[in-house]
Amino acid sequence: MKPVLVMILTAWLLGPAATSAPAAAEGGLRVDLDRESASTNVVATDELRLSAAANRMESLRTGFAVYRLPVTRPANTFEATVDSTVPPDARLAVDVRARHDGQWSEWTEIRPDAPTTLPAASGTVEVRVMLIAPDGTASPVLRSLTVTPSRTAAAPARAAGPVSYRVFATREGLVGGTTANGHVITRRDHFVALPSRRGLSRDRSGEYSVRVCAANGRCEWAPVWDVGPWNTRDDYWNERREQWRGLPRGLPQAQAAYQNGHNGGKDQFGRQVANPAGIDLADGTFWDGLRLRNNAWVTVTYLWTGGGPAGRVDTHGTPLNVRERPTRHSPNVGFAAEYARVGIQCSVRGDHAEGTQGRTNVWYRLAPGKFVSAAWVAGAAGVRAC
């Protein structure tokens, strides 16, 4: 179980009491605050603020709104001009991402002191405004947001394949609670939490998904719907991580604190780290997908860090069976959760199945000895035969 879920968004409670906006930069795009494409726990009119209702079981009110940025030319560098009021202990943050070769980049904060550059230029760009306030504190208020896109020298290309690391997994539980993306946790739910908002998917989507494999050989493909455990700015899978840059890539700060006394054995909030967790698993992922009985070491593949053919699991709610062979009755060796984005190695012919994508005998190999029927996978393209 997550040590204390209140840590999920408190990393952002570091903002100034208020900010005021200078004149918008030339070429800036003013965001229409009441035309968000996705949101949770906010009220958007000519201003953006948190709604009155709490969306967590703990002492923080959190919310966000996502906006599509109408760029006219591909861009990879962004500056933001913000007119806002941020009470003490509250926080407002503006993140940006861009879609390239069918995959979104990670969310990256546009800080006031320097432009933010993404890995590749794109004409499909979104910005996300995060609002956070402790109970009893007035909401941050965003009055205007102008984002200025530009194109600069290309960043290093994404690796050919996604990165994988062995980390310690804990069970999240907390049925009835609300995750950082606004999802209400259900019994036997299927998702994961990572200790950074950079790879946070929207509710009912899997833009950022992982493959988690246990020592027993079982795997689950699941979307990232929460932030935690322990830290909230520890994207340890990245070469240039947001915080704790002195640690080796792939080593969660909580693991370094627990095993080696990093940061005095404490997390970013000064709490004594009680386990080395680098990922939290929802109950269905933990018990049913991986068939774990206790917290355990697992191998996690961060699927958005690589390219190649991929599809989205579309089952109308239930997890998709992952089979040992491309047949309907071969052993179940894991699950692919609804909405998860799954990387596809190749395709084979097998048993016929009928699902949301029609009737087909095509099966996708997700990994050696791990197959799913194409009848339940949407949007796959460019898949070669095995």
Side-chain angles (χ1 to χ4, degrees), residues 13-284:
L13 305 183
L14 302 173
T19 62
S20 59
E26 183 178 356
L29 302 173
R30 188 180 178 94
V31 175
D32 190 346
L33 297 180
D34 64 354
R35 295 182 65 84
E36 75 278 6
S37 61
S39 64
T40 184
N41 203 42
V42 295
V43 176
T45 55
D46 56 339
E47 298 180 338
L48 186 70
R49 63 177 68 234
L50 289 167
S51 66
N55 74 325
R56 305 199 62 78
M57 295 173 63
E58 292 79 21
S59 58
L60 281 178
R61 292 182 297 139
T62 66
F64 67 80
V66 177
Y67 302 91
R68 180 62 59 89
L69 197 65
V71 297
T72 57
R73 291 174 294 181
N76 67 337
T77 299
F78 304 88
E79 298 179 75
T81 302
V82 176
D83 180 7
S84 65
T85 299
V86 184
D89 295 327
R91 182 75 165 94
L92 184 153
V94 178
D95 300 325
V96 64
R97 69 175 183 175
R99 191 170 180 84
H100 181 70
D101 288 342
Q103 172 64 44
W104 288 104
S105 66
E106 288 186 338
W107 288 108
T108 303
E109 185 173 355
I110 308 177
R111 298 186 179 275
D113 53 348
T116 291
T117 299
L118 300 180
S122 173
T124 304
V125 178
E126 289 186 338
V127 293
R128 180 180 66 182
V129 180
M130 306 291 302
L131 303 173
I132 308 99
D135 287 347
T137 299
S139 170
V141 177
L142 177 64
R143 288 179 290 274
S144 71
L145 169 63
T146 299
V147 179
T148 303
S150 61
R151 187 164 184 169
T152 59
R158 180 188 298 158
V163 297
S164 300
Y165 293 104
R166 184 173 180 267
V167 300
F168 193 70
T170 49
R171 184 178 68 85
E172 178 158 340
L174 300 169
V175 174
T178 306
T179 66
N181 74 348
H183 173 72
V184 178
I185 302 173
T186 62
R187 182 177 177 272
R188 285 326 232 246
D189 218 334
H190 289 262
F191 67 87
V192 306
L194 293 175
S196 167
R197 75 179 189 271
R198 287 186 167 182
L200 180 65
S201 296
R202 291 180 290 190
D203 190 16
R204 299 180 181 273
S205 73
E207 308 109 312
Y208 308 101
S209 296
V210 297
R211 182 181 71 211
V212 188
C213 297
N216 60 14
R218 294 184 62 82
C219 298
E220 176 159 321
W221 285 253
V224 182
W225 282 356
D226 209 353
V227 181
W230 297 108
N231 295 298
T232 64
R233 300 177 64 194
D234 187 28
D235 52 325
Y236 57 82
W237 54 89
N238 283 327
E239 185 173 0
R240 184 173 175 81
R241 57 211 282 175
E242 185 177 10
Q243 196 175 20
W244 317 115
R245 290 182 178 176
L247 291 175
R249 185 182 186 185
L251 176 65
Q253 190 276 335
Q255 181 180 338
Y258 183 79
Q259 294 179 335
N260 307 321
H262 179 267
N263 195 41
K266 299 178 180 180
D267 68 3
Q268 71 184 72
F269 307 107
R271 298 171 305 174
Q272 198 69 35
V273 174
N275 62 52
I279 190 171
D280 267 340
L281 310 178
D283 287 354

Side-chain angles (χ1 to χ4, degrees), residues 330-341:
S330 64
N332 171 282
V333 289
F335 286 127
E338 169 79 306
Y339 307 113
R341 187 176 188 270

